[in-house]
Amino acid sequence: MILFEHSTLQFIWFTAFVLLLMGYAILDGFDLGVGILHLFSKRDEERRLMLNSIGPVWDGNEVWLVTAGGALFAGFPPIYATVCSAFYFPVILLLTGLIFRAVAIEFRSKQPMQWWRWMWDLFFTIASFLIAFLLGVALGNLIRGIHLTNQGHFAGQFTDLFHPYALLVGCLTVALFVMHGSIYLMMKTEGTFHDKMRKMVFPSIITFCILYTLTTMATLIYMPHMIETIQDRPYFFLIAVVNLLLVANIPREIHLGRDVRAFISSSLNILCLIALYAVGSYPIVVRALNDPGALSLTIYNASSSNLTLHILLLMACIGIPVVVAYTITIYYIFRGKVTLDDHSY
């Protein structure tokens, strides 16, 4: 039984994919930020507090990335194939980072020796930085475009992926997650360490704002295709306005001592940034740098069949609420400030 037109299902599945990316960026974003900040704390007790702030939730947060990858594979197989082949080495590095980050979290406190803990702390920070940076580089290349053949295969070189614009977006992503993570640590800790994080959060906000401004300028000058949709439909400009207001509200809420509201503003900021990317690139997912009009992979020329998308929609209606309910339950159970005990990392 056909309930929706094929084009409607393609749009619905693209929207679901974007929402999954938003969930991952918001939830695992602060995990990665905490990991990058990990080595900035010299005391073992502070590092244990940082680990325990994300300990109950970090693995569940990564489910959103797995789900987004599955959604891309099932709904848009040609796009999945092209992205995985184009970013083959970065994807391998990304997976390596995810593995080492998980191992570092679990192994770090298994032995009391200082060299042992320092080794895993180093792995944890490097892996967190690598994941955030590579995600940003991949996003920057999707915005700029990559060389594709007539069959939609990657036709560029590995070095093409490290274009200055892609590197800039990679640095922006790292700064965004560091800011997000530092706000999360403020929200989850108290006492001396909380006061220390209050001092660290403002440099992270300033760094993000500088890189955000540079990236916006570079996008307007060198990637004009990203603003065509907003020019045609000016009401989408409200997303950018709301985004700026949210960024401005973060230091205000911190100054007033409202850490939870600052974290909500940071989360909504991430949501708006991904929404701006989705609006600017739609309906293209993989832009062909050599011939955008003819060779780009869109949600309409690279999707699964109508029947497949109907089945996927049914599965998503069952699976996504389960993931959301699990996430809400875990965060409710482990709400409040972090303390150390015998069972802590």
PDB file of all heavy atoms in Angstrom, residues 226-260:
ATOM      1  N   MET A 226      25.504  28.334  -0.964  1.00  0.00           N
ATOM      2  CA  MET A 226      24.905  27.993   0.326  1.00  0.00           C
ATOM      3  C   MET A 226      23.852  29.005   0.772  1.00  0.00           C
ATOM      4  O   MET A 226      23.090  28.734   1.706  1.00  0.00           O
ATOM      5  CB  MET A 226      25.995  27.878   1.398  1.00  0.00           C
ATOM      6  CG  MET A 226      26.890  26.665   1.235  1.00  0.00           C
ATOM      7  SD  MET A 226      25.999  25.094   1.385  1.00  0.00           S
ATOM      8  CE  MET A 226      25.511  25.112   3.103  1.00  0.00           C
ATOM      9  N   ILE A 227      23.800  30.166   0.151  1.00  0.00           N
ATOM     10  CA  ILE A 227      22.817  31.176   0.561  1.00  0.00           C
ATOM     11  C   ILE A 227      21.725  31.379  -0.486  1.00  0.00           C
ATOM     12  O   ILE A 227      20.868  32.242  -0.323  1.00  0.00           O
ATOM     13  CB  ILE A 227      23.500  32.523   0.867  1.00  0.00           C
ATOM     14  CG1 ILE A 227      24.181  33.086  -0.385  1.00  0.00           C
ATOM     15  CG2 ILE A 227      24.482  32.391   2.017  1.00  0.00           C
ATOM     16  CD1 ILE A 227      24.697  34.500  -0.195  1.00  0.00           C
ATOM     17  N   GLU A 228      21.748  30.581  -1.558  1.00  0.00           N
ATOM     18  CA  GLU A 228      20.743  30.746  -2.602  1.00  0.00           C
ATOM     19  C   GLU A 228      19.337  30.456  -2.094  1.00  0.00           C
ATOM     20  O   GLU A 228      18.389  31.177  -2.418  1.00  0.00           O
ATOM     21  CB  GLU A 228      21.077  29.840  -3.796  1.00  0.00           C
ATOM     22  CG  GLU A 228      22.317  30.288  -4.567  1.00  0.00           C
ATOM     23  CD  GLU A 228      22.665  29.320  -5.690  1.00  0.00           C
ATOM     24  OE1 GLU A 228      21.968  28.291  -5.820  1.00  0.00           O
ATOM     25  OE2 GLU A 228      23.637  29.582  -6.426  1.00  0.00           O
ATOM     26  N   THR A 229      19.191  29.411  -1.299  1.00  0.00           N
ATOM     27  CA  THR A 229      17.872  29.080  -0.758  1.00  0.00           C
ATOM     28  C   THR A 229      17.354  30.182   0.142  1.00  0.00           C
ATOM     29  O   THR A 229      16.163  30.534   0.110  1.00  0.00           O
ATOM     30  CB  THR A 229      17.931  27.749   0.028  1.00  0.00           C
ATOM     31  OG1 THR A 229      18.378  26.710  -0.836  1.00  0.00           O
ATOM     32  CG2 THR A 229      16.557  27.384   0.571  1.00  0.00           C
ATOM     33  N   ILE A 230      18.236  30.751   0.967  1.00  0.00           N
ATOM     34  CA  ILE A 230      17.826  31.838   1.861  1.00  0.00           C
ATOM     35  C   ILE A 230      17.455  33.076   1.052  1.00  0.00           C
ATOM     36  O   ILE A 230      16.527  33.813   1.405  1.00  0.00           O
ATOM     37  CB  ILE A 230      18.947  32.150   2.870  1.00  0.00           C
ATOM     38  CG1 ILE A 230      19.191  30.933   3.765  1.00  0.00           C
ATOM     39  CG2 ILE A 230      18.599  33.364   3.726  1.00  0.00           C
ATOM     40  CD1 ILE A 230      20.307  31.099   4.768  1.00  0.00           C
ATOM     41  N   GLN A 231      18.155  33.324  -0.053  1.00  0.00           N
ATOM     42  CA  GLN A 231      17.801  34.448  -0.910  1.00  0.00           C
ATOM     43  C   GLN A 231      16.441  34.245  -1.561  1.00  0.00           C
ATOM     44  O   GLN A 231      15.663  35.195  -1.688  1.00  0.00           O
ATOM     45  CB  GLN A 231      18.875  34.635  -1.986  1.00  0.00           C
ATOM     46  CG  GLN A 231      20.210  35.149  -1.439  1.00  0.00           C
ATOM     47  CD  GLN A 231      21.288  35.195  -2.501  1.00  0.00           C
ATOM     48  OE1 GLN A 231      21.228  34.459  -3.495  1.00  0.00           O
ATOM     49  NE2 GLN A 231      22.278  36.042  -2.308  1.00  0.00           N
ATOM     50  N   ASP A 232      16.153  32.997  -1.957  1.00  0.00           N
ATOM     51  CA  ASP A 232      14.861  32.711  -2.588  1.00  0.00           C
ATOM     52  C   ASP A 232      13.726  32.678  -1.572  1.00  0.00           C
ATOM     53  O   ASP A 232      12.581  33.028  -1.890  1.00  0.00           O
ATOM     54  CB  ASP A 232      14.928  31.366  -3.324  1.00  0.00           C
ATOM     55  CG  ASP A 232      15.905  31.395  -4.493  1.00  0.00           C
ATOM     56  OD1 ASP A 232      16.176  32.500  -5.003  1.00  0.00           O
ATOM     57  OD2 ASP A 232      16.396  30.315  -4.872  1.00  0.00           O
ATOM     58  N   ARG A 233      14.041  32.235  -0.354  1.00  0.00           N
ATOM     59  CA  ARG A 233      13.025  32.138   0.707  1.00  0.00           C
ATOM     60  C   ARG A 233      13.557  32.854   1.944  1.00  0.00           C
ATOM     61  O   ARG A 233      14.135  32.233   2.839  1.00  0.00           O
ATOM     62  CB  ARG A 233      12.725  30.663   1.016  1.00  0.00           C
ATOM     63  CG  ARG A 233      12.169  29.886  -0.171  1.00  0.00           C
ATOM     64  CD  ARG A 233      11.997  28.414   0.191  1.00  0.00           C
ATOM     65  NE  ARG A 233      11.413  27.645  -0.892  1.00  0.00           N
ATOM     66  CZ  ARG A 233      12.097  27.124  -1.909  1.00  0.00           C
ATOM     67  NH1 ARG A 233      13.427  27.288  -1.964  1.00  0.00           N
ATOM     68  NH2 ARG A 233      11.485  26.444  -2.856  1.00  0.00           N
ATOM     69  N   PRO A 234      13.376  34.167   2.009  1.00  0.00           N
ATOM     70  CA  PRO A 234      13.992  34.979   3.072  1.00  0.00           C
ATOM     71  C   PRO A 234      13.610  34.567   4.490  1.00  0.00           C
ATOM     72  O   PRO A 234      14.341  34.880   5.437  1.00  0.00           O
ATOM     73  CB  PRO A 234      13.483  36.390   2.765  1.00  0.00           C
ATOM     74  CG  PRO A 234      13.132  36.371   1.315  1.00  0.00           C
ATOM     75  CD  PRO A 234      12.637  34.994   1.040  1.00  0.00           C
ATOM     76  N   TYR A 235      12.483  33.865   4.654  1.00  0.00           N
ATOM     77  CA  TYR A 235      12.087  33.486   6.014  1.00  0.00           C
ATOM     78  C   TYR A 235      13.091  32.526   6.663  1.00  0.00           C
ATOM     79  O   TYR A 235      13.148  32.417   7.884  1.00  0.00           O
ATOM     80  CB  TYR A 235      10.684  32.882   6.029  1.00  0.00           C
ATOM     81  CG  TYR A 235      10.434  31.788   5.013  1.00  0.00           C
ATOM     82  CD1 TYR A 235      10.798  30.473   5.274  1.00  0.00           C
ATOM     83  CD2 TYR A 235       9.811  32.076   3.801  1.00  0.00           C
ATOM     84  CE1 TYR A 235      10.573  29.463   4.356  1.00  0.00           C
ATOM     85  CE2 TYR A 235       9.571  31.073   2.864  1.00  0.00           C
ATOM     86  CZ  TYR A 235       9.948  29.766   3.148  1.00  0.00           C
ATOM     87  OH  TYR A 235       9.720  28.768   2.232  1.00  0.00           O
ATOM     88  N   PHE A 236      13.902  31.839   5.845  1.00  0.00           N
ATOM     89  CA  PHE A 236      14.939  30.973   6.421  1.00  0.00           C
ATOM     90  C   PHE A 236      16.043  31.796   7.093  1.00  0.00           C
ATOM     91  O   PHE A 236      16.822  31.244   7.883  1.00  0.00           O
ATOM     92  CB  PHE A 236      15.551  30.075   5.345  1.00  0.00           C
ATOM     93  CG  PHE A 236      14.716  28.880   5.001  1.00  0.00           C
ATOM     94  CD1 PHE A 236      14.333  28.625   3.692  1.00  0.00           C
ATOM     95  CD2 PHE A 236      14.302  27.997   5.989  1.00  0.00           C
ATOM     96  CE1 PHE A 236      13.558  27.517   3.374  1.00  0.00           C
ATOM     97  CE2 PHE A 236      13.529  26.884   5.679  1.00  0.00           C
ATOM     98  CZ  PHE A 236      13.155  26.653   4.373  1.00  0.00           C
ATOM     99  N   PHE A 237      16.101  33.078   6.787  1.00  0.00           N
ATOM    100  CA  PHE A 237      17.102  33.938   7.421  1.00  0.00           C
ATOM    101  C   PHE A 237      16.862  34.032   8.926  1.00  0.00           C
ATOM    102  O   PHE A 237      17.784  34.345   9.692  1.00  0.00           O
ATOM    103  CB  PHE A 237      17.073  35.331   6.793  1.00  0.00           C
ATOM    104  CG  PHE A 237      18.140  36.250   7.297  1.00  0.00           C
ATOM    105  CD1 PHE A 237      19.481  36.031   6.988  1.00  0.00           C
ATOM    106  CD2 PHE A 237      17.820  37.334   8.105  1.00  0.00           C
ATOM    107  CE1 PHE A 237      20.468  36.881   7.464  1.00  0.00           C
ATOM    108  CE2 PHE A 237      18.805  38.187   8.581  1.00  0.00           C
ATOM    109  CZ  PHE A 237      20.135  37.961   8.253  1.00  0.00           C
ATOM    110  N   LEU A 238      15.634  33.747   9.349  1.00  0.00           N
ATOM    111  CA  LEU A 238      15.317  33.766  10.777  1.00  0.00           C
ATOM    112  C   LEU A 238      16.172  32.760  11.545  1.00  0.00           C
ATOM    113  O   LEU A 238      16.477  32.976  12.720  1.00  0.00           O
ATOM    114  CB  LEU A 238      13.829  33.457  10.984  1.00  0.00           C
ATOM    115  CG  LEU A 238      12.842  34.559  10.576  1.00  0.00           C
ATOM    116  CD1 LEU A 238      11.407  34.058  10.698  1.00  0.00           C
ATOM    117  CD2 LEU A 238      13.053  35.806  11.428  1.00  0.00           C
ATOM    118  N   ILE A 239      16.545  31.652  10.884  1.00  0.00           N
ATOM    119  CA  ILE A 239      17.399  30.659  11.562  1.00  0.00           C
ATOM    120  C   ILE A 239      18.728  31.289  11.943  1.00  0.00           C
ATOM    121  O   ILE A 239      19.234  31.088  13.059  1.00  0.00           O
ATOM    122  CB  ILE A 239      17.625  29.433  10.647  1.00  0.00           C
ATOM    123  CG1 ILE A 239      16.302  28.778  10.283  1.00  0.00           C
ATOM    124  CG2 ILE A 239      18.551  28.420  11.338  1.00  0.00           C
ATOM    125  CD1 ILE A 239      16.446  27.626   9.301  1.00  0.00           C
ATOM    126  N   ALA A 240      19.307  32.068  11.015  1.00  0.00           N
ATOM    127  CA  ALA A 240      20.583  32.730  11.293  1.00  0.00           C
ATOM    128  C   ALA A 240      20.433  33.768  12.406  1.00  0.00           C
ATOM    129  O   ALA A 240      21.313  33.904  13.269  1.00  0.00           O
ATOM    130  CB  ALA A 240      21.116  33.388  10.019  1.00  0.00           C
ATOM    131  N   VAL A 241      19.321  34.492  12.397  1.00  0.00           N
ATOM    132  CA  VAL A 241      19.086  35.501  13.440  1.00  0.00           C
ATOM    133  C   VAL A 241      18.953  34.834  14.805  1.00  0.00           C
ATOM    134  O   VAL A 241      19.567  35.271  15.793  1.00  0.00           O
ATOM    135  CB  VAL A 241      17.818  36.323  13.110  1.00  0.00           C
ATOM    136  CG1 VAL A 241      17.492  37.274  14.266  1.00  0.00           C
ATOM    137  CG2 VAL A 241      18.013  37.103  11.818  1.00  0.00           C
ATOM    138  N   VAL A 242      18.151  33.780  14.864  1.00  0.00           N
ATOM    139  CA  VAL A 242      17.982  33.049  16.120  1.00  0.00           C
ATOM    140  C   VAL A 242      19.319  32.480  16.589  1.00  0.00           C
ATOM    141  O   VAL A 242      19.639  32.502  17.789  1.00  0.00           O
ATOM    142  CB  VAL A 242      16.939  31.922  15.946  1.00  0.00           C
ATOM    143  CG1 VAL A 242      16.912  31.012  17.176  1.00  0.00           C
ATOM    144  CG2 VAL A 242      15.563  32.515  15.704  1.00  0.00           C
ATOM    145  N   ASN A 243      20.117  31.996  15.644  1.00  0.00           N
ATOM    146  CA  ASN A 243      21.420  31.440  15.990  1.00  0.00           C
ATOM    147  C   ASN A 243      22.311  32.485  16.656  1.00  0.00           C
ATOM    148  O   ASN A 243      22.960  32.216  17.685  1.00  0.00           O
ATOM    149  CB  ASN A 243      22.085  30.908  14.720  1.00  0.00           C
ATOM    150  CG  ASN A 243      23.344  30.132  15.015  1.00  0.00           C
ATOM    151  OD1 ASN A 243      23.457  29.481  16.042  1.00  0.00           O
ATOM    152  ND2 ASN A 243      24.312  30.217  14.124  1.00  0.00           N
ATOM    153  N   LEU A 244      22.356  33.672  16.094  1.00  0.00           N
ATOM    154  CA  LEU A 244      23.163  34.746  16.677  1.00  0.00           C
ATOM    155  C   LEU A 244      22.666  35.118  18.069  1.00  0.00           C
ATOM    156  O   LEU A 244      23.466  35.360  18.985  1.00  0.00           O
ATOM    157  CB  LEU A 244      23.132  35.973  15.759  1.00  0.00           C
ATOM    158  CG  LEU A 244      23.894  35.849  14.435  1.00  0.00           C
ATOM    159  CD1 LEU A 244      23.676  37.089  13.574  1.00  0.00           C
ATOM    160  CD2 LEU A 244      25.374  35.644  14.684  1.00  0.00           C
ATOM    161  N   LEU A 245      21.358  35.163  18.256  1.00  0.00           N
ATOM    162  CA  LEU A 245      20.798  35.485  19.568  1.00  0.00           C
ATOM    163  C   LEU A 245      21.152  34.416  20.594  1.00  0.00           C
ATOM    164  O   LEU A 245      21.436  34.727  21.758  1.00  0.00           O
ATOM    165  CB  LEU A 245      19.280  35.644  19.467  1.00  0.00           C
ATOM    166  CG  LEU A 245      18.781  36.845  18.652  1.00  0.00           C
ATOM    167  CD1 LEU A 245      17.260  36.819  18.538  1.00  0.00           C
ATOM    168  CD2 LEU A 245      19.244  38.160  19.269  1.00  0.00           C
ATOM    169  N   LEU A 246      21.150  33.162  20.161  1.00  0.00           N
ATOM    170  CA  LEU A 246      21.506  32.067  21.068  1.00  0.00           C
ATOM    171  C   LEU A 246      22.970  32.149  21.495  1.00  0.00           C
ATOM    172  O   LEU A 246      23.292  31.953  22.673  1.00  0.00           O
ATOM    173  CB  LEU A 246      21.234  30.720  20.389  1.00  0.00           C
ATOM    174  CG  LEU A 246      19.759  30.342  20.222  1.00  0.00           C
ATOM    175  CD1 LEU A 246      19.619  29.156  19.294  1.00  0.00           C
ATOM    176  CD2 LEU A 246      19.123  30.035  21.579  1.00  0.00           C
ATOM    177  N   VAL A 247      23.851  32.440  20.540  1.00  0.00           N
ATOM    178  CA  VAL A 247      25.270  32.576  20.867  1.00  0.00           C
ATOM    179  C   VAL A 247      25.477  33.730  21.846  1.00  0.00           C
ATOM    180  O   VAL A 247      26.242  33.624  22.814  1.00  0.00           O
ATOM    181  CB  VAL A 247      26.100  32.791  19.583  1.00  0.00           C
ATOM    182  CG1 VAL A 247      27.556  33.098  19.939  1.00  0.00           C
ATOM    183  CG2 VAL A 247      26.031  31.556  18.685  1.00  0.00           C
ATOM    184  N   ALA A 248      24.782  34.845  21.609  1.00  0.00           N
ATOM    185  CA  ALA A 248      24.897  36.002  22.500  1.00  0.00           C
ATOM    186  C   ALA A 248      24.334  35.705  23.888  1.00  0.00           C
ATOM    187  O   ALA A 248      24.784  36.281  24.896  1.00  0.00           O
ATOM    188  CB  ALA A 248      24.178  37.204  21.889  1.00  0.00           C
ATOM    189  N   ASN A 249      23.369  34.797  23.955  1.00  0.00           N
ATOM    190  CA  ASN A 249      22.730  34.486  25.241  1.00  0.00           C
ATOM    191  C   ASN A 249      23.591  33.587  26.124  1.00  0.00           C
ATOM    192  O   ASN A 249      23.403  33.562  27.347  1.00  0.00           O
ATOM    193  CB  ASN A 249      21.376  33.808  24.986  1.00  0.00           C
ATOM    194  CG  ASN A 249      20.566  33.636  26.249  1.00  0.00           C
ATOM    195  OD1 ASN A 249      20.325  34.601  26.978  1.00  0.00           O
ATOM    196  ND2 ASN A 249      20.154  32.415  26.533  1.00  0.00           N
ATOM    197  N   ILE A 250      24.531  32.855  25.521  1.00  0.00           N
ATOM    198  CA  ILE A 250      25.351  31.919  26.310  1.00  0.00           C
ATOM    199  C   ILE A 250      26.149  32.637  27.397  1.00  0.00           C
ATOM    200  O   ILE A 250      26.046  32.281  28.586  1.00  0.00           O
ATOM    201  CB  ILE A 250      26.265  31.097  25.378  1.00  0.00           C
ATOM    202  CG1 ILE A 250      25.427  30.145  24.518  1.00  0.00           C
ATOM    203  CG2 ILE A 250      27.283  30.298  26.202  1.00  0.00           C
ATOM    204  CD1 ILE A 250      26.233  29.414  23.455  1.00  0.00           C
ATOM    205  N   PRO A 251      26.976  33.652  27.067  1.00  0.00           N
ATOM    206  CA  PRO A 251      27.711  34.329  28.159  1.00  0.00           C
ATOM    207  C   PRO A 251      26.790  35.053  29.135  1.00  0.00           C
ATOM    208  O   PRO A 251      27.130  35.175  30.324  1.00  0.00           O
ATOM    209  CB  PRO A 251      28.622  35.307  27.395  1.00  0.00           C
ATOM    210  CG  PRO A 251      28.001  35.483  26.059  1.00  0.00           C
ATOM    211  CD  PRO A 251      27.336  34.197  25.751  1.00  0.00           C
ATOM    212  N   ARG A 252      25.642  35.510  28.654  1.00  0.00           N
ATOM    213  CA  ARG A 252      24.692  36.177  29.550  1.00  0.00           C
ATOM    214  C   ARG A 252      24.195  35.205  30.613  1.00  0.00           C
ATOM    215  O   ARG A 252      24.173  35.547  31.812  1.00  0.00           O
ATOM    216  CB  ARG A 252      23.516  36.714  28.743  1.00  0.00           C
ATOM    217  CG  ARG A 252      22.383  37.295  29.587  1.00  0.00           C
ATOM    218  CD  ARG A 252      21.255  37.838  28.719  1.00  0.00           C
ATOM    219  NE  ARG A 252      20.132  38.279  29.525  1.00  0.00           N
ATOM    220  CZ  ARG A 252      19.129  37.484  29.919  1.00  0.00           C
ATOM    221  NH1 ARG A 252      19.136  36.202  29.552  1.00  0.00           N
ATOM    222  NH2 ARG A 252      18.141  37.960  30.660  1.00  0.00           N
ATOM    223  N   GLU A 253      23.810  34.005  30.198  1.00  0.00           N
ATOM    224  CA  GLU A 253      23.303  33.019  31.167  1.00  0.00           C
ATOM    225  C   GLU A 253      24.410  32.569  32.118  1.00  0.00           C
ATOM    226  O   GLU A 253      24.162  32.340  33.307  1.00  0.00           O
ATOM    227  CB  GLU A 253      22.730  31.807  30.420  1.00  0.00           C
ATOM    228  CG  GLU A 253      21.547  32.114  29.508  1.00  0.00           C
ATOM    229  CD  GLU A 253      20.315  32.576  30.265  1.00  0.00           C
ATOM    230  OE1 GLU A 253      20.316  32.568  31.508  1.00  0.00           O
ATOM    231  OE2 GLU A 253      19.334  32.967  29.608  1.00  0.00           O
ATOM    232  N   ILE A 254      25.628  32.449  31.611  1.00  0.00           N
ATOM    233  CA  ILE A 254      26.753  32.066  32.483  1.00  0.00           C
ATOM    234  C   ILE A 254      27.008  33.146  33.513  1.00  0.00           C
ATOM    235  O   ILE A 254      27.239  32.869  34.700  1.00  0.00           O
ATOM    236  CB  ILE A 254      28.009  31.794  31.635  1.00  0.00           C
ATOM    237  CG1 ILE A 254      27.797  30.550  30.761  1.00  0.00           C
ATOM    238  CG2 ILE A 254      29.230  31.598  32.533  1.00  0.00           C
ATOM    239  CD1 ILE A 254      28.925  30.299  29.783  1.00  0.00           C
ATOM    240  N   HIS A 255      26.971  34.401  33.092  1.00  0.00           N
ATOM    241  CA  HIS A 255      27.185  35.527  34.004  1.00  0.00           C
ATOM    242  C   HIS A 255      26.130  35.549  35.114  1.00  0.00           C
ATOM    243  O   HIS A 255      26.432  35.887  36.265  1.00  0.00           O
ATOM    244  CB  HIS A 255      27.153  36.839  33.225  1.00  0.00           C
ATOM    245  CG  HIS A 255      27.289  38.056  34.101  1.00  0.00           C
ATOM    246  ND1 HIS A 255      28.477  38.411  34.719  1.00  0.00           N
ATOM    247  CD2 HIS A 255      26.367  38.995  34.467  1.00  0.00           C
ATOM    248  CE1 HIS A 255      28.288  39.507  35.426  1.00  0.00           C
ATOM    249  NE2 HIS A 255      27.022  39.886  35.292  1.00  0.00           N
ATOM    250  N   LEU A 256      24.901  35.153  34.762  1.00  0.00           N
ATOM    251  CA  LEU A 256      23.819  35.135  35.740  1.00  0.00           C
ATOM    252  C   LEU A 256      23.799  33.848  36.559  1.00  0.00           C
ATOM    253  O   LEU A 256      22.925  33.670  37.412  1.00  0.00           O
ATOM    254  CB  LEU A 256      22.473  35.306  35.024  1.00  0.00           C
ATOM    255  CG  LEU A 256      22.259  36.662  34.324  1.00  0.00           C
ATOM    256  CD1 LEU A 256      20.948  36.656  33.541  1.00  0.00           C
ATOM    257  CD2 LEU A 256      22.266  37.804  35.353  1.00  0.00           C
ATOM    258  N   GLY A 257      24.737  32.932  36.287  1.00  0.00           N
ATOM    259  CA  GLY A 257      24.824  31.704  37.043  1.00  0.00           C
ATOM    260  C   GLY A 257      23.806  30.651  36.654  1.00  0.00           C
ATOM    261  O   GLY A 257      23.554  29.702  37.412  1.00  0.00           O
ATOM    262  N   ARG A 258      23.224  30.800  35.460  1.00  0.00           N
ATOM    263  CA  ARG A 258      22.215  29.841  35.002  1.00  0.00           C
ATOM    264  C   ARG A 258      22.860  28.893  33.989  1.00  0.00           C
ATOM    265  O   ARG A 258      22.711  29.042  32.773  1.00  0.00           O
ATOM    266  CB  ARG A 258      21.020  30.584  34.403  1.00  0.00           C
ATOM    267  CG  ARG A 258      20.336  31.495  35.431  1.00  0.00           C
ATOM    268  CD  ARG A 258      19.023  32.062  34.961  1.00  0.00           C
ATOM    269  NE  ARG A 258      19.163  32.985  33.857  1.00  0.00           N
ATOM    270  CZ  ARG A 258      18.482  34.141  33.752  1.00  0.00           C
ATOM    271  NH1 ARG A 258      17.646  34.503  34.725  1.00  0.00           N
ATOM    272  NH2 ARG A 258      18.620  34.917  32.708  1.00  0.00           N
ATOM    273  N   ASP A 259      23.581  27.902  34.512  1.00  0.00           N
ATOM    274  CA  ASP A 259      24.361  26.999  33.664  1.00  0.00           C
ATOM    275  C   ASP A 259      23.480  26.134  32.761  1.00  0.00           C
ATOM    276  O   ASP A 259      23.839  25.849  31.617  1.00  0.00           O
ATOM    277  CB  ASP A 259      25.248  26.099  34.525  1.00  0.00           C
ATOM    278  CG  ASP A 259      26.241  26.892  35.368  1.00  0.00           C
ATOM    279  OD1 ASP A 259      26.534  28.050  34.986  1.00  0.00           O
ATOM    280  OD2 ASP A 259      26.714  26.369  36.384  1.00  0.00           O
ATOM    281  N   VAL A 260      22.344  25.700  33.279  1.00  0.00           N
ATOM    282  CA  VAL A 260      21.449  24.851  32.486  1.00  0.00           C
ATOM    283  C   VAL A 260      20.939  25.611  31.269  1.00  0.00           C
ATOM    284  O   VAL A 260      20.903  25.083  30.153  1.00  0.00           O
ATOM    285  CB  VAL A 260      20.274  24.334  33.344  1.00  0.00           C
ATOM    286  CG1 VAL A 260      19.280  23.553  32.472  1.00  0.00           C
ATOM    287  CG2 VAL A 260      20.782  23.461  34.475  1.00  0.00           C
TER     288      VAL A 260
END
